[in-house]
Amino acid sequence: MVEVENKIQRYTSYKNSGVEWLGEIPEHWQVKPGFTILFESKEKNTGFKENTVLSLSYGNVIIKPKEKLTGLVPESFETYQLVEPGDIIIRPTDLQNDKTSLRTGLAKDKGIITSAYINLRIFKGYSNKYFHYYLHTIDINKVIYGLGSGLRQNISFEDFKRFPFPFPPLPEQTAIAQFLDDKTTKIDEAIAIKQQQIALLKERKQILIHKAVTRGLNDKVALKDSGVEWIGEIPEHWEVSKLFGLADFVRGNTPFSKDELLNKGSYVALQYGKTYKVDKIDENYSFYINDEFYKESQIVNDGDTILISTSETIEDLGHSAFYSRNDLGLLGGEQIMLHPYQEKLNGHYLYFLSKTFSKQLRKFATGIKVFRFNINDLKTIYISLPPLSEQREIANYIETASAKIDTAIGLKEQEIEKLQEYKSSLINSVVTGKVKVC
């Protein structure tokens, strides 16, 4: 855990803020409505020629140069809004997708944004960083979520006009912002180190899998050229074969959406928005559907592998999940099921193979904002094929060895979660005056 160097103390005296979720604030602080602190800037892009488009990504404002924009790029950017350094950019739509943090970022550069964002500008004489931190506090964001309207849970600047803001004197606003800049930077650095460690562990796991399914488990065995570049050399007694002819390929077309998933039901619901997040569909996977979606051609059995054939990111395209359950699953759209011929190809070994040939499938990717490949692309894939008994041995070895790596990854992820919770708690305590840092 990142330590706070300064000893944090409470203020001498407090008073009731009059705001339920804010609670007590320091005696000398005020509570002011939003319109006295900030306004919505809708300055049109009439004189800014660089056309540096700004966007939000996980609470950070990122730059998207015009030449790197994809999708429907407008002919003119004059309808975009101008952003100045220090402006607070908020994405006000789909709050139901993020109930614990308002998606907001502080602009460091001059640029332009679409009208899909709200651009808040703090009046001169106030600390924009302080009020940006305030909008990031967990308790506040639960309240902001409640302000949303409509099925998509959207908010507008009107929701901020009367919104209560704690208001310490300017020197304290500045000191609090500087304190949080320092402490959150250290926390973020610690998180980044652990994320790098996770990336290395995942890379080690991928190397382990690739070596086992192309070289086997005997380091002394004689090798031969497979004739397939990505496979490389394989043991002399192994074969190389097209995947087509060793497994059935089934395109998912059962028409159920994530909104129709149940906690209990007749069949395990293999909806692609859920399966791309897991490597194994076992008893911990708890999404179901009932008989109205049943299609015999879409049944998934123990030992089958699910491939994600459509994705918003190229990295997730070809992601595979192993079906390890005795009850039946039903395959949803945007996926392809691989059902191995058990007399030739072990299902568990095929799953680990899929972790190596997924990169080959990405070479067939089509699309701009959404990427996809199809069944015909799968028919071009070659695999390394040891004897069936050796396939089972390799699969068992990988399962055991990778489980240790997965455990290490899980511990790192828990550490990151604790750091993120600590960061949120620290911001919340400091900007609401529950603790004193200056």
Side-chain angles (χ1 to χ4, degrees):
M1 183 65 66
V2 176
E3 297 291 340
V4 177
E5 297 170 1
N6 300 26
K7 185 178 180 181
I8 299 177
Q9 300 177 341
R10 286 175 59 83
Y11 287 87
T12 303
S13 58
Y14 287 82
K15 65 183 179 184
N16 188 340
S17 68
V19 181
E20 181 180 358
W21 71 85
L22 190 55
E24 291 187 333
I25 59 173
E27 181 72 35
H28 63 290
W29 285 24
Q30 301 178 48
V31 175
K32 292 188 175 184
F35 70 85
T36 66
I37 298 167
L38 48 80
F39 63 97
E40 182 180 18
S41 174
K42 289 188 175 182
E43 186 179 353
K44 294 299 181 184
N45 174 38
T46 56
F48 187 54
K49 302 300 182 182
E50 286 85 351
N51 290 334
T52 302
V53 180
L54 303 180
S55 180
L56 282 178
S57 177
Y58 298 99
N60 295 314
V61 178
I62 60 173
I63 296 174
K64 287 188 175 180
K66 180 180 178 181
E67 62 271 12
K68 293 186 178 180
L69 293 179
T70 59
L72 298 175
V73 180
E75 293 182 5
S76 171
F77 289 87
E78 292 184 358
T79 59
Y80 279 47
Q81 300 174 60
L82 191 62
V83 173
E84 296 288 347
D87 287 354
I88 299 173
I89 302 174
I90 295 176
R91 183 180 177 185
T93 59
D94 298 324
L95 298 188
Q96 73 273 18
N97 293 328
D98 191 355
K99 298 180 183 180
T100 61
S101 64
L102 186 66
R103 285 169 286 182
T104 174
L106 190 67
K108 296 180 181 179
D109 305 279
K110 189 171 184 177
I112 54 176
I113 56 172
T114 72
S115 58
Y117 292 105
I118 297 175
N119 187 34
L120 300 181
R121 187 167 295 172
I122 306 297
F123 288 123
K124 290 183 179 180
Y126 303 148
S127 170
N128 54 350
K129 282 188 176 181
Y130 169 79
F131 291 108
H132 179 244
Y133 275 121
Y134 176 68
L135 290 173
H136 263 89
T137 59
I138 294 177
D139 291 343
I140 264 325
N141 285 310
K142 287 181 180 178
V143 175
I144 291 177
Y145 171 73
L147 294 175
S149 60
L151 294 176
R152 300 183 66 200
Q153 288 295 319
N154 300 339
I155 58 174
S156 69
F157 177 67
E158 296 299 315
D159 297 308
F160 290 99
K161 279 187 174 180
R162 298 284 177 185
F163 198 80
F165 286 77
F167 193 83
L170 179 59
E172 284 187 58
Q173 293 178 30
T174 303
I176 287 171
Q178 290 174 343
F179 173 87
L180 289 175
D181 280 349
D182 177 57
K183 298 301 178 271
T184 58
T185 296
K186 292 177 180 177
I187 296 171
D188 289 341
E189 288 172 351
I191 290 173
I193 290 172
K194 295 185 184 301
Q195 289 172 332
Q196 291 171 1
Q197 292 169 341
I198 289 174
L200 289 173
L201 286 167
K202 289 181 176 179
E203 183 180 351
R204 184 190 304 175
K205 179 179 175 180
Q206 188 63 28
I207 292 171
L208 180 150
I209 293 173
H210 188 273
K211 181 180 177 182
V213 300
T214 58
R215 296 291 188 96
L217 306 180
N218 183 2
D219 290 335
K220 297 180 180 180
V221 69
L223 302 175
K224 66 181 179 182
D225 185 8
S226 68
V228 179
E229 183 179 358
W230 74 268
I231 295 177
E233 292 186 318
I234 61 173
E236 280 188 340
H237 64 289
W238 287 22
E239 298 177 5
V240 172
S241 176
K242 274 191 173 183
L243 181 59
F244 184 62
L246 295 174
D248 286 328
F249 304 161
V250 179
R251 187 195 307 276
N253 59 22
T254 310
F256 55 83
S257 67
K258 63 181 180 180
D259 296 329
E260 294 170 301
L261 302 184
L262 308 172
N263 293 326
K264 293 183 179 180
S266 304
Y267 302 95
V268 180
L270 302 174
Q271 199 270 337
Y272 83 101
K274 304 297 182 182
T275 55
Y276 90 91
K277 298 179 181 180
V278 299
D279 287 315
K280 182 181 289 187
I281 298 159
D282 55 16
E283 300 305 321
N284 294 317
Y285 183 94
S286 55
F287 303 100
Y288 299 87
I289 47 178
N290 282 325
D291 294 340
E292 66 267 25
F293 292 106
Y294 175 80
K295 288 184 180 181
E296 186 175 358
S297 63
Q298 301 289 290
I299 289 177
V300 181
N301 291 284
D302 183 34
D304 292 338
T305 291
I306 314 296
L307 291 176
I308 301 300
S309 58
T310 302
S311 175
E312 293 181 357
T313 64
I314 194 69
E315 292 79 14
D316 289 329
L317 189 67
H319 172 81
S320 58
F322 184 63
Y323 194 83
S324 182
R325 297 181 60 136
N326 292 323
D327 49 349
L328 299 179
L330 284 181
L331 188 64
E334 317 301 344
Q335 300 162 106
I336 296 174
M337 178 181 67
L338 303 180
H339 178 70
Y341 301 155
Q342 294 290 345
E343 69 279 6
K344 297 180 180 179
L345 185 58
N346 175 266
H348 208 183
Y349 177 75
L350 171 58
Y351 162 69
F352 288 121
L353 275 172
S354 71
K355 294 298 184 184
T356 64
F357 64 64
S358 60
K359 289 185 179 179
Q360 305 306 308
L361 290 171
R362 292 171 196 160
K363 294 179 180 179
F364 297 103
T366 60
I368 298 176
K369 288 190 174 182
V370 177
F371 304 95
R372 56 174 47 87
F373 65 85
N374 58 50
I375 281 182
N376 288 331
D377 298 326
L378 266 173
K379 293 178 180 179
T380 68
I381 295 295
Y382 283 87
I383 63 170
S384 50
L385 191 66
L388 196 57
S389 60
E390 200 170 345
Q391 294 177 34
R392 299 190 189 100
E393 184 181 358
I394 291 170
N396 290 336
Y397 165 78
I398 296 175
E399 181 72 15
T400 301
S402 60
K404 296 177 181 179
I405 298 177
D406 289 339
T407 298
I409 290 173
L411 291 174
K412 294 295 179 185
E413 289 173 339
Q414 290 175 16
E415 292 171 0
I416 289 174
E417 184 177 354
K418 289 179 181 178
L419 283 169
Q420 290 171 333
E421 290 174 355
Y422 172 66
K423 177 181 175 180
S424 296
S425 176
L426 179 66
I427 293 173
N428 183 63
S429 298
V430 174
V431 300
T432 59
K434 303 300 183 291
V435 295
K436 181 181 179 181
V437 298
C438 57

